[in-house]
Amino acid sequence: MAASNSHSNETGAIGNGSESDLKVHVFSSSLELLEKLHEKWSLKKKPYPAMYSSIFGGIITDPAMMMIPIDDHMVHRGHGVFDTAIILNGHLYELDAHIDRFLRSAAKAKISSPFPRSVLRSILIQLTAVSELKKGTLRYWLSAGPGDFLLTPSGRGNSAFYAVAIDDDFSQCKEGVKAITSTVPIKTPQFATMKSVNYLPNVLTKMEAEEKGAFASIWVDDEGYVAEGPNVNVAFITKEKELILPCFDKVLSGCTALRLLALAPKLVEDGKLKSVGTANLTVEEAKDAAEMMFVGSTLPVLPIISWDDQPIGDGRVGELTMALSDLLWDDMVSGSEIERIPVPYT
């Protein structure tokens, strides 16, 4: 998406020949460069069927042209925010909730949108229609914008909006995974509650888990309370059948997590759960839970069967975890049009 993500044959010589032998290719024209880009993106199936750029002022369907300026402050300073919505069965799930959080993040990052909310929403729906994707993800960014390599964008007023439709396959998660406690320092609440592009801590904590054979790491805050995963919330079912999610004052308020809290009372009405709510949980209390799960947009619920090699409950996927997963998945597939916006494909 940004700058170049492939090495040309000429660049490869840097690692193989001597400095005196190196001759870096200079592209003589934009047409030659475009030809090179088309070589890279000559795929039978486009992973990114469509992109919107406020810099270009429209929707792009040629992956070779899906570029972000190198002097965009989101690229070289990390001054940008993003969010994601799910495309499932030709509908955008929870788009409005995600846009609202998107704009809250932008306000915290001191980035003004180049368009009002209604226009942003319309662009995202039209982009999805052009992509022709019936299933995938829709990711979008607000950036302080391009124009220079200074530290701040003060006085420029060139904020930028980008969005891309991604051909992404996902399904309801039914197998349990392992988690570990992260050793990567947790973000402070100011940054943890903002969905910015500054995701290096999130990347490192996810890599840490994968290196140890786990799915993801879990952050614990400076008071010893369970916080969140690298790009997911966590939830617990106590031995008293209480559904508890960590309070959102120090972590990102996940749209899927909030939707889970709204749907879960159905299981209370059915007598399967005792209660639903948020609370601060110590690691000791959390590891004593009967069931545990990650909660996120494309999961929507992922059972956790062990944490730091300690089994959660009986070490198997719990029935209540899957009941919650079914509630969310059914909502994604056949919920109301308040949550599911039909895409007007042509």
Side-chain angles (χ1 to χ4, degrees):
M1 291 287 295
S4 173
N5 49 19
S6 67
H7 293 286
S8 67
N9 293 333
E10 292 82 0
T11 306
I14 293 175
N16 302 321
S18 66
E19 184 176 342
S20 59
D21 295 332
L22 172 65
K23 185 172 178 59
V24 177
H25 181 76
V26 177
F27 289 95
S28 60
S29 69
S30 58
L31 290 177
E32 183 191 0
L33 177 58
L34 186 59
E35 182 180 351
K36 186 71 177 180
L37 289 170
H38 279 142
E39 287 179 12
K40 171 180 171 51
W41 291 105
S42 59
L43 307 172
K44 291 182 179 179
K45 186 177 181 181
K46 294 181 180 180
Y48 318 125
M51 173 190 176
Y52 175 85
S53 168
S54 65
I55 301 298
F56 294 158
I59 295 173
I60 308 146
T61 57
D62 183 350
M65 298 304 296
M66 294 180 183
M67 296 290 175
I68 295 175
I70 192 65
D71 66 349
D72 191 302
H73 278 239
M74 183 171 72
V75 175
H76 67 86
R77 297 299 183 192
H79 194 176
V81 299
F82 78 101
D83 221 300
T84 306
I86 294 300
I87 308 165
L88 184 60
N89 294 347
H91 289 72
L92 282 162
Y93 183 65
E94 283 209 298
L95 177 63
D96 287 305
H98 283 276
I99 291 177
D100 289 342
R101 182 177 65 179
F102 181 55
L103 293 175
R104 289 196 301 270
S105 293
K108 290 181 179 180
K110 298 185 179 181
I111 300 172
S112 61
S113 172
F115 309 116
R117 183 189 187 282
S118 59
V119 173
L120 294 175
R121 187 179 189 272
S122 178
I123 289 170
L124 292 173
I125 293 172
Q126 291 181 59
L127 174 66
T128 308
V130 170
S131 78
E132 299 184 348
L133 287 177
K134 302 298 191 297
K135 184 180 184 182
T137 53
L138 184 65
R139 186 162 296 199
Y140 37 98
W141 298 261
L142 270 176
S143 162
D148 57 48
F149 287 96
L150 300 178
L151 190 61
T152 68
S154 301
R156 295 186 304 108
N158 293 333
S159 61
F161 177 59
Y162 307 105
V164 64
I166 304 169
D167 190 349
D168 188 14
D169 191 23
F170 51 87
S171 58
Q172 185 180 11
C173 298
K174 298 184 178 182
E175 300 296 324
V177 298
K178 297 178 180 180
I180 64 169
T181 301
S182 178
T183 63
V184 177
I186 190 172
K187 294 179 182 179
T188 61
Q190 178 182 0
F191 295 106
T193 57
M194 177 199 315
K195 199 169 177 70
S196 78
V197 297
N198 287 285
Y199 252 46
L200 184 56
N202 309 63
V203 170
L204 293 177
T205 192
K206 175 72 169 172
M207 291 179 68
E208 176 185 39
E210 292 173 349
E211 289 165 359
K212 295 182 179 179
F215 175 80
S217 298
I218 296 171
W219 269 310
V220 176
D221 70 21
D222 54 4
E223 295 182 87
Y225 294 122
V226 178
E228 60 182 343
N231 60 345
V232 285
N233 291 102
V234 287
F236 305 88
I237 297 173
T238 69
K239 292 174 180 176
E240 292 74 32
K241 297 188 176 181
E242 304 162 310
L243 172 63
I244 299 176
L245 277 76
C247 297
F248 296 117
D249 55 340
K250 294 182 179 181
V251 302
L252 188 69
S253 56
C255 294
T256 306
L258 293 173
R259 188 62 183 155
L260 179 65
L261 288 170
L263 293 170
K266 293 180 181 179
L267 297 186
V268 177
E269 294 172 7
D270 295 340
K272 296 179 180 179
L273 282 176
K274 179 182 177 182
S275 63
V276 174
T278 60
N280 288 321
L281 289 174
T282 65
V283 173
E284 183 180 5
E285 291 170 332
K287 287 184 176 180
D288 191 48
E291 300 179 34
M292 179 178 175
M293 66 208 81
F294 286 123
V295 183
S297 294
T298 57
L299 303 176
V301 168
L302 177 60
I304 299 172
I305 56 175
S306 76
W307 183 1
D308 292 334
D309 294 325
Q310 175 182 327
I312 299 297
D314 60 7
R316 295 180 294 181
V317 175
E319 292 183 5
L320 288 174
T321 297
M322 290 315 303
L324 291 167
S325 178
D326 289 341
L327 274 180
L328 271 172
W329 191 257
D330 289 346
D331 195 55
M332 293 167 64
V333 171
S334 57
S336 73
E337 288 199 356
I338 295 175
E339 306 299 332
R340 300 171 63 249
I341 299 170
V343 178
Y345 300 99
T346 56

